[in-house]
C-alpha cells in the first residue's frame, strides 16, 4: 500500500485543525478585550494573578495584539490549504510547527512556574510539543511521485 497518497490530505487536515485552533484563540482574546473578561486566561493562570491582570487592565492592553497574531497565523493556515504538494507547503507546515514548539519552550524556559496552577505549565507545553511534533512529522512525509518523475528515473 502506498501511504504517500495520504500525505497531502493529512497535511491539510492538520492545517485546518490549526486554523480552527488559532481562530478560536484569536476570537477569545479579541472578544475578551472588548468585554474585559478573560475566562480562558483566568483558568490558565493562578487566581490572584489572573484577577490582578483583569482588574488592572493588563490583559486588556496586551490581548488585542496576541489575538491579532493568532488571527494572522490562522489566515496563513487557511491560505496554505490551497497550496499544492511541495516544498512551499512543507515550509509553511514547519513554520506552524515552530509556532507551537517555540511557544511551549518559552513557557517552560522563561515564564515563572509560579504563575500557573500546579501542572498547568507542563500540560500546556506538552500539548504544544505534541502538536508541533505531529506537524513536523506531517511535513516530512513523502508525496507520491508524479508519472513524469518516475519515467525520468
Amino acid at each position: 500500500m502506498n501511504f504517500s497518497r495520504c500525505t497531502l490530505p493529512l497535511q491539510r487536515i492538520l492545517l485546518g485543525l490549526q486554523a480552527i485552533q488559532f481562530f478560536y484563540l484569536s476570537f477569545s482574546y479579541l472578544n475578551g478585550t472588548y468585554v474585559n473578561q478573560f475566562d480562558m486566561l483566568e483558568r490558565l493562570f493562578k487566581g490572584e494573578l489572573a484577577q490582578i491582570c483583569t482588574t488592572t487592565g493588563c490583559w486588556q492592553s496586551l490581548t488585542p495584539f496576541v489575538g491579532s497574531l493568532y488571527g494572522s497565523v490562522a489566515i496563513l493556515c487557511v491560505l496554505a490549504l490551497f497550496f499544492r504538494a511541495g516544498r512551499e507547503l512543507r515550509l509553511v507546515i514547519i513554520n506552524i510547527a515552530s509556532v507551537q514548539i517555540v511557544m511551549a519552550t518559552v513557557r517552560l524556559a522563561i515564564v515563572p512556574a509560579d504563575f500557573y496552577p500546579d501542572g498547568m505549565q507542563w500540560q500546556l507545553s506538552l500539548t504544544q510539543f505534541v502538536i508541533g511534533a505531529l506537524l513536523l512529522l506531517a511535513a516530512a512525509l513523502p508525496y507520491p511521485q508524479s508519472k513524469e518523475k518516475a519515467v525520468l528515473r
Side-chain angles (χ1 to χ4, degrees), residues 6 14 28 42 51 59 114 137:
C6 299
L14 289 173
S28 294
E42 289 171 357
Q51 188 60 37
W59 278 339
D114 57 339
L137 180 63

Side-chain angles (χ1 to χ4, degrees), residues 15-16 20 37 43 47 56-57 74 84 86-87 108 110 112 124-125 132 135 140 149:
L15 282 171
I20 291 168
Q37 186 175 5
R43 284 190 306 267
T56 62
R84 292 178 296 201
R87 181 181 4 205
L108 291 174
I110 296 175
L124 294 170
S125 296
L135 287 164
K149 287 184 181 178

Side-chain angles (χ1 to χ4, degrees), residues 2-142:
N2 189 354
F3 290 108
S4 63
R5 285 188 270 162
C6 299
T7 298
L8 187 58
L10 177 65
Q11 289 175 339
R12 287 186 173 155
I13 288 168
L14 289 173
L15 282 171
L17 291 173
Q18 283 296 269
I20 291 168
Q21 177 194 21
F22 288 130
F23 274 129
Y24 171 75
L25 291 170
S26 176
F27 174 79
S28 294
Y29 286 139
L30 295 175
N31 185 56
T33 300
Y34 183 70
V35 298
N36 195 30
Q37 186 175 5
F38 303 94
D39 296 330
M40 183 171 43
L41 290 172
E42 289 171 357
R43 284 190 306 267
L44 298 179
F45 293 96
K46 284 193 174 176
E48 184 179 313
L49 176 66
Q51 188 60 37
I52 289 170
C53 288
T54 299
T55 57
T56 62
C58 175
W59 278 339
Q60 201 170 22
S61 67
L62 296 174
T63 55
F65 304 103
V66 176
S68 299
L69 177 63
Y70 278 131
S72 298
V73 176
I75 290 169
L76 178 64
C77 289
V78 169
L79 292 175
L81 292 174
F82 299 100
F83 284 21
R84 292 178 296 201
R87 181 181 4 205
E88 294 82 5
L89 180 57
R90 288 185 197 280
L91 290 174
V92 170
I93 293 169
I94 291 168
N95 184 305
I96 301 302
S98 72
V99 169
Q100 296 286 358
I101 293 168
V102 168
M103 285 192 331
T105 303
V106 166
R107 181 181 297 107
L108 291 174
I110 296 175
V111 180
D114 57 339
F115 284 3
Y116 296 93
D118 290 338
M120 183 63 75
Q121 186 180 29
W122 277 100
Q123 180 183 347
L124 294 170
S125 296
L126 181 61
T127 301
Q128 286 184 298
F129 282 132
V130 168
I131 291 169
L134 286 173
L135 287 164
L136 288 175
L137 180 63
L141 293 174

